[in-house]
Structure formats: structure tokens, C-alpha cells
Amino acid sequence: MRIKALPRWPTASLTARLALLFAAMTASLLIVVGLVMGRAVDAHFRELDDHELSGKLNLIGNLLQRADSPQAWAALPQRLDDAFVGHDTVGVLVRDAEGSVIYAVHVDHFDAAHAAGDALPATGAMWQKGSRHFIGRETLLHRPAVADAPGEPLRVLLSLDISHHVHFLEQVRVRLWLGIALSAVVSALLGWLAAHKGLAPLRQVTDTARQLSAGQLGVRLVEGDAPAEVRELVEAFNGMLARLEGDFRRLSEFSADIAHELRTPISNLMTQTSVALSQTRTADDYREVLASNLEEYQRIARMVSDMLFLAQAENGRLPRPEEAVMLADELRALVEFYEALAEAQQVTMTVQGAATVTGDRLMLRRAVSNLLSNALRHTAPGGRIDIRLDCRAGRVCLSVSNPGEPIPPDQLARIFERFHRAGAERSRHGEGAGLGLAITRSIVETHGGRITVQSADGLTTFCIDLPQRLTGA
Amino acid sequence: MKILIVEDEPKTGDYLRQGLAEAGFVVDLVRDGLDGLHHALGGEYDLLVLDVMLPALDGWGILQTVRRQGLEMPVLFLTARDQVEDRVRGLELGADDYLVKPFAFAELLARVRTLLRRGKSKEPEVLRAADLELDLLRRRVLRAGVRVDLTAKEFALLELLLRRQGEVLPRSLIASQVWDMNFDSDTNVIEVAVRRLRAKVDEPFEPKLIRTVRGMGYVLEAPEAMG
């Protein structure tokens, strides 16, 4: 299974990505807030400054209005000085129409050009001189007519030093940026911490996986305080380990079983042959030994071919079954096959029902044959083996029931395993190596079916559940 | 009857040659594929027994060339691998039968005889051994002139034993020919069936015709033939 890598960050760890994401989110949020706040503060200060400028202009206008006598006119500069004393932030330049300066204070606040006579816009302007910032505006005021002189328009230039506001704003901006940067770093750290801690179980999974070997399949991860998302992974991982452990244990037992099953006949053969060779015997004795050996060989050969069959089934190498199989016909043929044996054991067999499945006729025969021989083996004289075919909801249930000793539950679960024999003390005579039911299960599973067994009230029932073949299909 | 065995495994080859020779066949044994092909093309054999895995040229190769030369003698394959692809391939190339190692020699012998008999003389309508008579048309069995009632399967079993008189028939062959069960049953069902047949056609009479050959199977033989 391959998971496509994200195109952008092919290698960055999840923790790093989350930390970066947190930092970026915090920073962008604060930047937006900062910009909005900055604008608002800026506008507020500008309004304040404009207001102050307007106030000063009104003051100048009032003083001019009152200079309606030559004495008053002569005293005007003095009055203006009085008005602006202590107001170091205000620069005033009053000129008459010819351009001669009537009053000036803090002229150095103005640009050289404006001081020399250039006009300032009436809507206001902003400039910088050295480290100081100013706003200013120009307006026309009328000198009232007095006895010896007519009224005339006066150009009034007014400037206001707003350096403290500008500096304040700059400071605010710098702090804001610092704050944003710090928050981003902190949130990145927090994000990293959260992700790191949250993903700790993942690292545990990795470590465990790295340490795993066949001998240590008993290891399990602790679900503990893992977050919900990771807990699922941990559960799945633990489940996988449990299944692997089970499979592996069965495989080991299986190998041990093979060795054991082969050891018995081989040891028989060796003993028998060496005893036979230890002294001269009659031809009949030799013949007897050879015939006995042949029987052991046949047992081994059958076991080997059964094992091969099982291995093929497990590797999915059995052919895909495709023909329509009329199960009732097959059952009749099988009952016919076992009839003589059943009669000899005084056991009767009945067949009921009909069904068609898709599959391989010979393999299905073999599967059911194993069930029948198993049933015959465990049915006491006078008993009856019932074979039924039931169709229900697109499934076929082929059941074989026989009266007999109930199988204990712990044995029921293992009855389809290889080399399993009901009752270890059972004699070997006339019985296979305990592979029959395992083969039946393999065949059933190859056909997309399931096999189950129930044992209660003196009745043991095997049920093969197969998909029904639809007519015309 | 002349049989060619191509088998590279020394012990298997020797025993096959000995077994088939003792069963009355003329047997040639070669150990590799190219020798096998030369013999097969020039030797006028009635049957080829080929191992699949062979040095120089494998069994498939021999079969292909033999068939391309228009030779129609039956071919029996031996293989250690019970793989379906092998079986399918063998049948496509024109093999007649197939045996997976390990196999019982009785099984091989029975199959060899089946292949050699194929397409030969018309079957008689009445099969006989000593005073036992089986009438295929009337589905009737007489022993010493007495009518014996048999079930359909008992009849089929007796017919098989009579047709192959003197041959030891392995249980697996009997199961496959009479009941169409092409797998080993882990029960003694064939034993029981033969015992019941004996009880009907053999026990009340003399001489006994059906014999058990321990570890190999059953044979029906009239005493004079045994002599």
C-alpha cells in the first residue's frame, strides 16, 4: 500500500508542520488586528491634530478681527506672541498680499520653500524636518479696514509639530511587530509541544515495530492516554500483533506436528527393517516386513499429498471453481460410496433437499467425503447420519449431523486445525493424520463459503455454508 | 508390449524398470531427455513413461517432438509437483495420463495397463473367471451356475476385477473406477465393499477368486492362472 506524499512538504515531520501552521495562524491573525488598530489610532491622532490646527487658526482669526484700530494693529504681534507663548509646537507665518512678513514665530518649522513664500494647500500637508514631523495648512484671513488703511487679505501659514504622535505610533508599531513575532514563536512552540505529546504513541508504535521479531510477538502497546485518532491505530496495531502471534504460534505448532507425525511412521520403519535384517528369515517373513513397510509408506505419502493440497489452498493456488454442481447428486454418490461401510457399522444415512452451487465437483466431493467419514467414525452402531441441503437467502447450507459424544467447546474451536484429532487417545488404525477437516475447510473457503460445527445434546452438526448458484447463471 | 522409461532419478528408474519387466513388459530405461527423445522416435514403443524434470530436454519437450512426428503411442507423465498448470499443460500437449510422486507401483502398473488396453479389442459381452460368469447385457452374475444378486456398485466392482483379471488393483483405482471418487478416503470403505462382494460371490464357493495383496490392493485370479 502506498500513500501519496503531500506535494508541498515531502519530508517535514507532522510536528514541524503543525508548529509552523500554529505560528502562521497566530501571526496572520495578529497582523490583521494590528493593521486595523494601527489605522484607527492613526486616524484618531490625525483628527486630534487637525482639530488643534483649526483651533489655532480660529484664535489667529479672532485676534485679527480685534485689530481694528492702528493701536490694536500695532499691538497685534504682541498679542499673538502672548497667545502662542509656551506653544512650542506651533509655527505661524502671517504675510500680507505683497509677501512681507507681518508676524512670524518658529519659522524654522516650515519647509524652506514655504517659508520663502510657496503656498501650502488649504486641505493641509505633512512634512518632515530632521527628526521632527509637522502638519500645516494655509488660509486667507482678512485684516479689517481701519482709518488709515483699507482691509486686506493676509496669508496665514500655520504648522503643528506632531513628532510626539508620530514617534508614539512608531513605537506602537515596533512593539506590535515584536509582540506578533513573539506570539508566533510561542504558539509554534505550543503547537510543537501539543503535536509532539499527542503523537508520542505513534513513536511508540514505530519503536515497537522496529523491535519486533518472531520471538517477541507478545509485545503490546499501551493505549493509555493516547488521543482518539491514535488510539485507533494503536488498537489496530495491537490487533495485528495478536493475529500475527496466533498465526505464528499455529505455524510453529504445525511444523512441530509435521515432525512428530512423520517421526512415528519413520521410526516404525527403521525399527521394523533393522529387526528384520538382524537375522536370516524366511521369504514369508521378509514379505510380511515389506508389506508392513508399504503401509507406513502409504501413510506418509498420503500425509505429504494432503499437506501439499493444504499449502496450495492457503497460497490461493487452487483453480477457480466454475462449474455448476448439483449437490444432491454429489451427496447421493457419496452416500453410495460410504453405504457398505455404514451398513457394516449398522449406521444409516439420509439425504434431504437439493441445491446447486458454483464450484469444482471433485473438490466439493472431497470436502463432504471428509465430513461423512468423520461422522461415520464417531457414530455408534444403530445411529443415523442426516445430510440436509437447505437454501436460504441466496446461501446453501449443507449440514451433516450425527449422534455422538458432545465435543467439548475448547476442542470445537480447534477441530478444523491441521493434525487435530478429537481425543488424543484415539487409535491410529483406519484414521488419517487429522488433516481431513482442515482440507474440508480449505475447499469450502476456496469456494467462498464457511464451515461451522455445533455439538450439543448428543448431536454433532457440521454446516457448510456456500453461495447458491442462481438458475441460468 | 514395449515400454520406454525416461527417468533421471537412479533408484526410481531402476525400480520402475524392474517392476514393469517383472509384470511382463519389455522395458528400456534412459536417463536424460535427449537420449529419451532418440529412443522414443526410433524405438517403436507402445508406451512412454516420462519424468517431467529431466536433464538436457524436459518431458514436455520430448512429448511435443514425439507428437509432431505423428507418433500416437500413449504417454504417461510422472511429476513431483502436484500443480494444476502442469496437469493442464500436459493434457494440452497430448499426454494421456499423469501420476504425482510419490505413487504406489500398483497404481502405476494399473494405469499403464489401462493405457495399453485403450482402443484395443472389442470387449466381450460375458466376462468369466473359473466358474464365475458376469453377463454385461443381462446385468447378471452366475457362480457355479447359481444366480448371485449384486447391488449396482457390487456389479461394477466385480466387472472391474474381472476385466482386469490377474492385475493387482489399488484401492484408489477401485474408488475412482467404481465410485468416481478421485481422492484417497481415510476410511476402509473399499475393504468393506470388497468384503461384501466376497461374501456373495466367493465365500460359499471354491475356489476363492478374490485375493487381498497386502499393502497393494485386490486381485481376481482363477487358480489355473495362478499356477
Side-chain angles (χ1 to χ4, degrees):
Chain A
M1 207 183 324
R2 266 186 202 187
I3 297 168
K4 208 178 154 198
L6 291 174
R8 283 292 303 279
W9 299 325
T11 53
S13 78
L14 192 56
T15 313
R17 288 183 206 186
L18 280 177
L20 274 177
L21 189 70
F22 276 124
M25 266 169 50
T26 313
S28 54
L29 188 73
L30 288 180
I31 285 171
V32 169
V33 171
L35 283 178
V36 170
M37 291 293 289
R39 284 269 161 87
V41 171
D42 220 22
H44 177 67
F45 280 140
R46 185 152 299 170
E47 202 179 328
L48 275 184
D49 293 341
D50 274 353
H51 193 71
E52 196 178 347
L53 217 53
S54 306
K56 300 292 185 235
L57 274 176
N58 285 343
L59 183 66
I60 295 170
N62 280 341
L63 289 176
L64 272 178
Q65 287 299 318
R66 272 189 248 157
D68 50 0
S69 64
Q71 294 86 359
W73 179 252
L76 184 65
Q78 185 58 46
R79 282 175 175 247
L80 283 168
D81 276 348
D82 289 349
F84 291 112
V85 71
H87 290 255
D88 291 343
T89 55
V90 182
V92 182
L93 189 61
V94 181
R95 280 184 283 215
D96 63 13
E98 283 83 42
S100 44
V101 174
I102 292 168
Y103 177 77
V105 66
H106 294 312
V107 184
D108 56 316
H109 289 182
F110 294 100
D111 261 350
H114 297 131
D118 273 8
L120 265 173
T123 48
M126 196 174 182
W127 66 90
Q128 191 179 356
K129 256 189 127 184
S131 64
R132 304 175 71 185
H133 296 262
F134 301 92
I135 56 170
R137 99 166 62 138
E138 177 176 340
T139 198
L140 276 178
L141 291 175
H142 282 271
R143 171 188 168 185
V146 290
D148 60 337
E152 62 174 338
L154 296 175
R155 287 174 66 203
V156 180
L157 275 74
L158 196 64
S159 79
L160 188 66
D161 184 346
I162 56 160
S163 297
H164 59 295
H165 285 165
V166 171
H167 289 154
F168 173 75
L169 278 174
E170 264 167 12
Q171 254 175 353
V172 164
R173 232 165 247 139
V174 166
R175 281 181 198 166
L176 203 61
W177 284 119
L178 276 177
I180 288 172
L182 197 67
S183 306
V185 168
V186 167
S187 63
L189 274 174
L190 284 176
W192 181 83
L193 211 67
H196 189 76
K197 196 156 157 27
L199 295 177
L202 273 187
R203 283 190 298 281
Q204 204 196 342
V205 171
T206 314
D207 287 347
T208 311
R210 202 170 278 144
Q211 288 165 16
L212 274 187
S213 72
Q216 299 168 317
L217 289 173
V219 188
R220 293 291 179 277
L221 297 177
V222 190
E223 284 175 34
D225 55 349
E229 296 87 341
V230 181
R231 187 169 303 159
E232 269 183 36
L233 174 70
V234 169
E235 278 169 14
F237 191 80
N238 279 343
M240 179 190 78
L241 281 179
R243 285 191 301 278
L244 271 182
E245 194 186 12
D247 286 351
F248 196 79
R249 199 193 59 239
R250 270 191 294 280
L251 261 182
S252 321
E253 288 173 358
F254 182 48
S255 314
D257 284 342
I258 295 178
H260 180 78
E261 294 287 334
L262 286 176
R263 192 165 52 186
T264 315
I266 288 174
S267 131
N268 286 349
L269 285 166
M270 284 170 63
T271 315
Q272 218 163 20
T273 310
S274 41
V275 168
L277 287 175
S278 63
Q279 54 175 280
T280 315
R281 292 168 197 280
T282 65
D284 275 351
D285 287 346
Y286 285 126
R287 195 169 292 132
E288 174 59 29
V289 170
L290 286 176
S292 164
N293 282 359
L294 188 56
E295 282 168 3
E296 292 293 332
Y297 291 135
Q298 281 167 352
R299 195 200 305 283
I300 298 174
R302 158 119 40 99
M303 193 193 304
V304 167
S305 71
D306 284 355
M307 302 281 315
L308 264 176
F309 182 88
L310 280 172
Q312 286 181 340
E314 269 171 28
N315 296 331
R317 297 217 318 266
L318 290 184
R320 271 204 172 282
E322 275 166 0
E323 47 178 332
V325 181
M326 317 270 270
L327 284 178
D329 292 351
E330 300 309 315
L331 289 180
R332 263 187 286 280
L334 280 163
V335 166
E336 212 166 40
F337 181 57
Y338 282 110
E339 208 160 40
L341 184 60
E343 274 176 32
Q345 296 184 2
Q346 297 163 45
V347 171
T348 51
M349 293 192 281
T350 68
V351 181
Q352 277 178 23
T356 307
V357 296
T358 302
D360 183 280
R361 203 171 58 87
L362 290 180
M363 283 213 284
L364 286 172
R365 265 194 184 187
R366 185 173 183 179
V368 180
S369 162
N370 289 338
L371 288 188
L372 291 184
S373 67
N374 182 67
L376 276 170
R377 205 175 295 131
H378 295 100
T379 306
R384 198 183 72 199
I385 299 172
D386 289 319
I387 309 158
R388 292 179 55 91
L389 284 169
D390 295 295
C391 300
R392 210 176 297 118
R395 309 290 296 183
V396 174
C397 173
L398 188 163
S399 60
V400 176
S401 350
N402 68 286
E405 293 274 307
I407 308 169
D410 61 314
Q411 298 235 353
L412 270 189
R414 304 189 57 206
I415 202 164
F416 297 110
E417 287 179 16
R418 289 172 281 204
F419 295 123
H420 177 83
R421 285 198 197 89
E425 79 289 344
R426 194 166 291 278
S427 84
R428 289 172 60 96
H429 183 72
E431 196 175 338
L435 291 170
L437 291 178
I439 286 179
T440 296
R441 182 175 66 175
S442 286
I443 292 175
V444 170
E445 286 174 357
T446 302
H447 283 76
R450 228 160 50 86
I451 182 162
T452 52
V453 59
Q454 287 179 330
S455 188
D457 305 326
L459 195 70
T460 301
T461 303
F462 285 87
C463 172
I464 296 180
D465 178 80
L466 289 169
Q468 190 176 5
R469 185 183 178 97
L470 302 171
T471 40
Chain B
M1 289 286 189
K2 211 172 152 196
I3 298 177
L4 174 68
I5 303 169
V6 189
E7 167 63 81
D8 62 320
E9 214 284 314
K11 262 192 166 176
T12 311
D14 291 343
Y15 281 116
L16 285 179
R17 175 166 58 186
Q18 187 189 345
L20 288 172
E22 284 174 6
F25 298 102
V26 179
V27 186
D28 286 338
L29 169 67
V30 290
R31 311 266 184 196
D32 78 56
L34 283 178
D35 280 358
L37 182 60
H38 290 138
H39 276 76
L41 291 177
E44 301 199 338
Y45 292 97
D46 298 295
L47 175 80
L48 305 182
V49 177
L50 302 180
D51 191 26
V52 173
M53 303 295 285
L54 285 171
L57 177 67
D58 68 11
W60 309 130
I62 298 177
L63 174 63
Q64 243 173 338
T65 315
V66 162
R67 291 288 186 251
R68 217 178 284 140
Q69 299 287 319
L71 295 171
E72 296 297 335
M73 77 279 259
V75 173
L76 173 66
F77 265 103
L78 307 178
T79 177
R81 290 180 300 167
D82 183 13
Q83 285 189 355
V84 183
E85 308 90 86
D86 275 11
R87 198 181 297 256
V88 170
R89 183 163 178 209
L91 293 178
E92 274 175 0
L93 290 176
D96 297 272
D97 207 348
Y98 195 97
L99 260 182
V100 178
K101 294 179 190 174
F103 51 82
F105 181 73
E107 178 85 34
L108 175 79
L109 194 56
R111 300 234 194 161
V112 163
R113 288 193 165 128
T114 309
L115 288 176
L116 288 174
R117 192 175 289 122
R118 191 180 283 176
K120 288 279 162 63
S121 64
K122 241 187 103 199
E123 296 289 347
E125 287 165 8
V126 179
L127 301 167
R128 283 195 184 83
D131 57 351
L132 175 65
E133 201 178 295
L134 183 139
D135 189 327
L136 285 164
L137 287 182
R138 294 190 204 151
R139 315 289 301 166
R140 197 178 63 171
V141 176
L142 295 175
R143 179 81 202 255
V146 183
R147 173 93 183 248
V148 181
D149 283 322
L150 296 182
T151 64
K153 288 298 170 189
E154 285 165 349
F155 189 92
L157 175 56
L158 184 60
E159 182 190 340
L160 176 69
L161 287 165
L162 274 168
R163 277 187 198 280
R164 316 280 295 252
Q165 272 180 63
E167 290 178 32
V168 179
L169 303 180
R171 289 175 183 79
S172 55
L173 183 101
I174 293 174
S176 133
Q177 298 276 314
V178 178
W179 285 275
D180 192 22
M181 296 293 156
N182 293 297
F183 48 85
D184 281 343
S185 169
D186 54 2
T187 58
N188 54 350
V189 53
I190 304 295
E191 246 165 78
V192 173
V194 172
R195 197 188 307 146
R196 286 157 64 95
L197 178 66
R198 263 183 186 152
K200 286 184 178 174
V201 302
D202 235 7
E203 258 164 38
F205 306 97
E206 282 299 335
K208 309 295 180 209
L209 299 176
I210 303 172
R211 214 157 44 85
T212 306
V213 182
R214 196 174 161 200
M216 292 173 71
Y218 301 94
V219 59
L220 188 149
E221 234 168 354
E224 57 269 23
M226 287 160 81

